[in-house]
Amino acid sequence: MSAPSGKRTRFRDFVADQTARPLFDYFMLLGITVVLTGIGLVMVLSASMATSGQESGSVWGVFIRQAVMVVLGFIGFWIVLQVRIRAIKALATPMMVISLIALVAVLVVGTGMDEWGAQQWIRVGSVGLQPSELAKIALSLWGAKVLADRLRKATTFGELYGLFAAGALATILLVAVQRDLGMVVVISVVALALTVCTGLPGKAIALLTGVGIIGFVLLILFEGFRSQRILTYLDTFFLNYSDIRGPGYQVYQGTLSLADGSLTGVGLGQSRAKWFYLPEANNDFIFAIIGEELGFLGATLVIVLYGLLGWVGLRIAMKQVDPFLRLLAATLTTSVVVSAFINIGYVVGWLPVTGIQLPLISAGGTSAIITIGSMGMLATCARHEPESISAMQTSGRPVVDRVLRVPEPLPYEQRSVRDGRSRAHREPQRFGKPVTYDNDVRGGTGVDLDRPRRRDPRQGTRNNGQGRSRR
């Protein structure tokens, strides 16, 4: 019995040693982002073959478009790594204003209600923009800035949360008017995560959660198509597929895809559901294709990767000294992981269908660029962990940073230190006596402690303070 116990102990010690290394979170985040994006490209190619061939005459059409968006996303990732924290904070307010303007614009010049009853796109030719995706990241960035700036000097809840509450409520209401219920839920969770991370009392959190649930129910009751989705969800949850040719068709086909996958799947590229049986196979329901082609093991791998992303993101948040980076890392992690598990939840029948894409995997230009760019912000937070900064100052930047020419991160300075430094630049410097200069008690004359002392001939030599003086 001692041998297995010893192996477990050595394994735990190994894991603890690896996770305690500087830059562990940074490298883990890079690896998870690349692996999830790679899985996404492969699965988009497989899931879009039939529809892409029918629409454009080439099975590569959707894949090539998605690959271009992923490349643009990683360019954004690299650009974000180049930007200093002060510049990111300075961009928070303009980004929030732009996102609110875009949310209003989609109601004025948007494409109208789509087949799922939501109006959430602005299209210019063949290029489409989903402002709610931008609003989700903008609220995370702006909310982290506003709350971090007010966290230490606010004396009332109104001073701390007033401005943030107004911005969050405006964003949620504009997205709700677009009838994008899934994004309303995600943005509401992001706003709630920001308040939780700032230490909002439990009673207030419970109150906000209750108000959110009531609002969610009201949105469902006042919209017929949402009520139908809830009824379809209840039927699916209890395995009652009574209307498989009506509203429950997509969920039913997704369930069949997952069932066909069994443990190891039917094989990569061998899905039958993607041949015009499962709507949105390369987008909202791509997880069903993953389960069908890669089986339970492949689907579990994807879930584990999102779980690791959540774990690493929260580790990054907890290690931050800068309150802005702490709030930003927590909310960016929450937005991506919550979106992923909402998507997986409705594909497997545990949640109502809301139209949320699977981050880093589903086909979608706006989602790919913004989500990968937000991972760049999270990677910036990881590089600014105190241990990571110390390691780079001691041993230099890691290879990946040198290849990408990413500058060395700067340590966090509190506002009082920065303000004092700026005042020092504005005011003339007044220097006193050197720190090595001491006053003689008897005569008041200055004695430079760095200057070699003259030995009194009446005293003997001293051996490092241990010898006796001769008289």
Side-chain angles (χ1 to χ4, degrees):
M1 296 297 292
S2 60
S5 177
K7 291 181 179 179
R8 287 195 297 268
T9 301
R10 287 195 296 271
F11 177 75
R12 286 196 298 266
D13 292 341
F14 173 78
V15 172
D17 179 66
Q18 296 300 314
T19 56
R21 290 176 177 271
L23 294 169
F24 169 83
D25 297 329
Y26 178 54
F27 291 132
M28 278 289 292
L29 178 63
L30 293 180
I32 293 171
T33 302
V34 170
V35 171
L36 281 174
T37 306
I39 292 174
L41 286 175
V42 172
M43 296 312 303
V44 166
L45 174 60
S46 175
S48 65
M49 285 181 174
T51 55
S52 180
Q54 183 186 48
E55 294 173 0
S56 62
S58 172
V59 297
W60 301 93
V62 175
F63 168 76
I64 292 175
R65 184 165 62 247
Q66 181 68 10
V68 170
M69 296 302 173
V70 167
V71 171
L72 292 176
F74 276 108
I75 292 175
F77 188 106
W78 175 75
I79 292 174
V80 171
L81 288 179
Q82 305 288 327
V83 180
R84 293 297 186 186
I85 299 301
R86 289 187 182 181
I88 293 177
K89 291 183 70 174
L91 291 172
T93 300
M95 188 174 176
M96 183 66 179
V97 173
I98 291 172
S99 70
L100 291 175
I101 293 174
L103 289 176
V104 174
V106 76
L107 299 174
V108 178
V109 298
T111 57
M113 299 298 173
D114 61 17
E115 59 181 320
W116 306 111
Q119 180 177 345
Q120 51 185 326
W121 290 91
I122 298 176
R123 295 193 180 276
V124 180
S126 59
V127 179
L129 171 66
Q130 188 177 359
S132 57
E133 287 283 351
L134 176 63
K136 177 178 65 175
I137 304 303
L139 181 61
S140 300
L141 182 59
W142 177 78
K145 176 184 179 298
V146 170
L147 293 176
D149 289 343
R150 299 175 177 225
L151 194 58
R152 291 178 178 173
K153 58 184 179 181
T155 57
T156 64
F157 283 110
E159 291 179 3
L160 178 58
Y161 296 108
L163 180 60
F164 167 71
L169 185 60
T171 303
I172 293 171
L173 290 178
L174 286 173
V175 177
V177 173
Q178 298 174 18
R179 301 184 181 184
D180 189 354
L181 184 60
M183 193 58 69
V184 168
V185 174
V186 174
I187 293 177
S188 299
V189 171
V190 167
L192 184 63
L194 279 167
T195 58
V196 170
C197 292
T198 53
L200 188 68
K203 292 182 179 179
I205 295 173
L207 178 62
L208 289 176
T209 304
V211 171
I213 293 174
I214 293 173
F216 181 83
V217 173
L218 291 177
L219 286 174
I220 292 173
L221 294 178
F222 285 113
E223 294 293 345
F225 72 95
R226 292 198 184 105
S227 302
Q228 185 60 55
R229 285 186 182 183
I230 297 300
L231 294 176
T232 302
Y233 157 67
L234 293 175
D235 289 341
T236 304
F237 189 81
F238 293 104
L239 302 179
N240 180 23
Y241 298 102
S242 57
D243 190 9
I244 61 174
R245 297 185 181 276
Y249 174 79
Q250 187 181 28
V251 178
Y252 177 67
Q253 291 296 330
T255 304
L256 290 181
S257 299
L258 293 171
D260 288 344
S262 188
L263 181 64
T264 57
V266 298
L268 187 62
Q270 303 302 313
S271 168
R272 289 171 287 184
K274 67 184 180 185
W275 294 95
F276 310 108
Y277 290 103
L278 178 62
E280 300 293 332
N282 63 335
N283 200 318
D284 295 351
F285 271 72
I286 196 170
F287 186 76
I289 304 300
I290 294 174
E292 182 181 6
E293 295 189 351
L294 305 181
F296 176 79
L297 297 179
T300 301
L301 173 62
V302 171
I303 294 174
V304 169
L305 287 172
Y306 282 116
L308 286 174
L309 177 59
W311 174 67
V312 170
L314 293 180
R315 272 174 54 96
I316 294 171
M318 289 187 292
K319 289 185 177 182
Q320 297 302 320
V321 178
D322 188 343
F324 167 71
L325 293 182
R326 186 186 311 124
L327 294 174
L328 181 62
T331 50
L332 290 176
T333 302
T334 300
S335 66
V336 173
V337 174
V338 167
S339 298
F341 282 101
I342 288 177
N343 177 278
I344 294 172
Y346 70 66
V347 170
V348 301
W350 288 355
L351 296 173
V353 178
T354 56
I356 294 293
Q357 295 178 330
L358 190 59
L360 302 174
I361 292 182
S362 291
T366 305
S367 176
I369 294 174
I370 292 178
T371 304
I372 297 174
S374 69
M375 291 297 97
M377 287 188 187
L378 189 56
T380 297
C381 297
R383 296 180 74 247
H384 283 78
E385 292 177 1
E387 296 86 352
S388 300
I389 295 175
S390 177
M392 291 189 203
Q393 290 177 340
T394 303
S395 305
R397 293 171 298 164
V399 175
V400 63
D401 284 9
R402 294 198 298 270
V403 171
L404 297 177
R405 296 183 179 274
V406 180
E408 184 176 302
L410 299 177
Y412 169 67
E413 294 181 351
Q414 294 185 1
R415 181 181 296 274
S416 59
V417 176
R418 293 196 300 267
D419 293 345
R421 183 171 298 177
S422 62
R423 286 195 299 269
H425 284 292
R426 291 194 301 267
E427 299 176 357
Q429 300 291 332
R430 295 180 180 178
F431 297 100
K433 296 177 181 179
V435 295
T436 60
Y437 199 82
D438 194 13
N439 288 326
D440 186 18
V441 178
R442 292 172 296 179
T445 58
V447 178
D448 191 347
L449 301 181
D450 278 350
R451 191 174 298 172
R453 295 191 179 188
R454 295 179 180 178
R455 186 162 58 102
D456 190 340
R458 293 175 299 176
Q459 293 184 351
T461 59
R462 294 181 180 180
N463 184 15
N464 294 330
Q466 296 179 357
R468 294 182 179 180
S469 60
R470 293 178 297 181
R471 296 183 181 180

